[in-house]
Amino acid sequence: MVSSAFVLIILAAIVFVCGCTGTETGPGQQGGAVQDIVVGALLPLSGDYAGGGEASRVALEVAAGEINDYFVSIGSDYRVGIIIEDTKADPATALAKLQTLEGQGATVVIGPSTSAELEAIRTYADDHGILIVSTMSTAPSLAIAGDNVYRFVPPDTYRADVMAYYLREQGVTAIVPVWRGDVWGDELEKLTAAAFARRGGKVLDGVRYTPDLEGYDAIAADLDARVAGAVAAHGKERVAVYLVSLDEADRMMEAALATENLPKVRWYGCDGNVLLDSLATGEPARFAEQTKFTCPALWNQKSVASNTATIQKMRELLGRHPDGYGLATYDALWIVTMARTQTGTADVAMLKTALEKTAGESGGPLFGPAHLNGAGDRSNAHYTFWTVNADGDAYRWVPIVQYGIASAGATPELEWVGA
């Protein structure tokens, strides 16, 4: 169930377009017939980052059900439908699937998951009048004013700042990064390294890898040698590994278990590996718990607490806790749908204006107003740090602290501390 305040805001918009009894017709409707709103989605349901794609798929299905229930409750003739295509987190596949969605009449698409995919489809979307609403891409290089891309998540400059701040708060003075070699991984590692250095930290030479093209045993061996040198120079308690990865994090940790030094220092991660189920089971979970593996997720504890029924519905369908990007995807479908009802048309220019207004004024039920900057990216953020804890013979992700960042470059502010 969505919050009452959010419902009142949306109700005003729907009443304006549809009439409070649902008997008046909006643009394109005929005599009260159902007016379908078709929204496409590009998600990685297989391959790298399939866990994140599945979380977003469940979020879309829950959102569509609740939106349509809401339309029925106010007598509106609008209904939203989603068409989901699997990109496998592959840029070329993402472009092909975007063309498939275009052929099925989708002029608004939520996704894709990675910045590499978004980079591959952005120009096509601009040239073909397709509106892209990304809830997972965070590479700062894709913050481009005037294009057809909106990102309801902040760029990685925010995440880098909060990560660097947290590392220093934890007494870490030197990090050894290991990161995925693509546009997202390269940019996030560089940004975090720069932010950490600005706070007086030392960034040591790390390991850049290409997923599936290099053996993880070899990567772990290289990283182990570098960490050995870091520990000798700075001391075990002040050294940490900083991991930028997607679903391959479990394979990295399995390989790291067999090394001498990697299990002895703390590990920190990113949005690509936080809340992964594969890191809460088996040997990867044992390694994560042993190294106090901690990662930030786009998250707002207060908003989640006020929407427990919706979160629980996602948890039951997913079989685990939804991630922050899944929650952003849930909000995105609400925002897109309500913007579409306000315009009564699929015209992209008009829809962009309505989308910006809807995002800034009401936003979505879970994260609230999404204030967008000149490039169409979210300009404020809340990050909750999660860690893997032992729970009897099992392991689970536990939220420990939350910080808010009001604007780019601002100092993170403590907002919540867990038990």
Side-chain angles (χ1 to χ4, degrees):
M1 180 180 295
V2 297
S3 66
S4 57
F6 176 81
V7 166
L8 289 174
I9 294 171
I10 295 302
L11 178 59
I14 302 301
V15 167
F16 176 78
V17 175
C18 302
C20 61
T21 65
T23 57
E24 297 179 31
T25 60
Q29 290 178 274
Q30 296 181 357
V34 170
Q35 173 72 6
D36 288 327
I37 299 171
V38 178
V39 178
L42 295 172
L43 302 176
L45 301 179
S46 59
D48 289 344
Y49 207 32
E54 185 67 12
S56 288
R57 180 191 66 79
V58 167
L60 286 174
E61 292 177 354
V62 170
E66 293 186 351
I67 291 169
N68 287 332
D69 287 346
Y70 178 68
F71 281 149
V72 171
S73 74
I74 65 170
S76 168
D77 296 323
Y78 281 105
R79 300 292 184 272
V80 64
I82 51 176
I83 306 172
I84 300 175
E85 293 288 344
D86 180 13
T87 68
K88 304 178 182 179
D90 175 67
T93 302
L95 178 58
K97 295 296 187 179
L98 177 63
Q99 294 167 338
T100 298
L101 290 174
E102 181 186 23
Q104 297 178 68
T107 57
V108 181
V109 174
I110 294 175
S113 64
T114 67
S115 293
E117 293 170 84
L118 183 60
E119 185 178 45
I121 72 169
R122 186 184 64 81
T123 299
Y124 186 91
D126 286 348
D127 292 343
H128 289 253
I130 302 171
L131 191 62
I132 302 296
V133 179
S134 175
T135 57
M136 289 182 259
S137 166
T138 53
S141 61
L142 296 178
I144 302 169
D147 63 6
N148 281 356
V149 176
Y150 290 90
R151 297 194 292 183
F152 288 172
V153 290
D156 277 330
T157 47
Y158 290 66
R159 188 180 315 279
D161 283 342
V162 77
M163 187 77 250
Y165 181 86
Y166 187 73
L167 286 167
R168 296 297 282 139
E169 286 289 297
Q170 295 298 299
V172 175
T173 60
I175 60 172
V176 182
V178 52
W179 71 100
R180 182 185 179 95
D182 59 19
V183 60
W184 167 72
D186 287 340
E187 289 190 17
L188 180 54
E189 187 278 333
K190 183 178 180 180
L191 288 167
T192 305
F196 188 63
R198 286 196 300 271
R199 293 188 177 278
K202 181 74 173 178
V203 182
L204 305 175
D205 289 340
V207 180
R208 181 182 189 270
Y209 69 92
T210 303
D212 300 325
L213 295 184
E214 302 174 52
Y216 289 100
D217 288 342
I219 297 170
D222 188 356
L223 184 64
D224 184 63
R226 296 171 191 268
V227 168
V231 168
H234 300 276
K236 182 181 69 174
E237 297 302 320
R238 295 189 174 277
V239 171
V241 170
Y242 174 56
L243 172 64
V244 178
S245 72
L246 295 178
D247 287 13
E248 70 272 9
D250 60 345
R251 283 156 279 169
M252 184 77 71
M253 291 186 178
E254 284 180 348
L257 266 173
T259 65
E260 179 181 355
N261 299 287
L262 299 184
K264 298 177 182 178
V265 298
R266 284 174 287 177
W267 280 53
Y268 295 86
C270 64
D271 55 316
N273 42 51
V274 68
L275 291 172
L276 285 178
D277 192 48
S278 60
L279 297 186
T281 55
E283 291 296 279
R286 182 165 70 88
F287 181 87
E289 194 273 337
Q290 180 177 339
T291 58
K292 300 180 181 178
F293 186 56
T294 304
C295 318
L298 187 70
W299 196 268
N300 189 327
Q301 287 292 123
K302 181 179 179 181
S303 296
V304 169
S306 64
N307 289 276
T308 54
T310 294
I311 301 297
Q312 185 59 30
K313 194 179 300 183
M314 291 186 200
R315 290 189 67 165
E316 291 174 356
L317 292 172
L318 191 59
R320 56 182 168 84
H321 215 305
D323 60 26
Y325 291 147
L327 304 190
T329 301
Y330 173 92
D331 274 5
L333 188 60
W334 273 97
I335 295 169
V336 165
T337 303
M338 298 312 153
R340 177 66 174 78
T341 64
Q342 291 177 50
T343 60
T345 176
D347 178 78
V348 171
M350 294 180 64
L351 189 54
K352 288 174 72 172
T353 299
L355 187 75
E356 293 172 12
K357 181 180 179 181
T358 302
E361 291 183 354
S362 62
L366 299 182
F367 285 161
H371 301 292
L372 305 176
N373 61 23
D377 291 350
R378 192 181 191 102
S379 61
N380 63 320
H382 306 271
Y383 292 103
T384 296
F385 282 81
W386 296 72
T387 192
V388 177
N389 281 356
D391 184 8
D393 294 332
Y395 298 89
R396 63 189 180 95
W397 286 97
V398 177
I400 52 177
V401 67
Q402 177 176 298
Y403 294 91
I405 303 181
S407 60
T411 299
E413 296 184 3
L414 182 65
E415 295 182 331
W416 174 85
V417 177

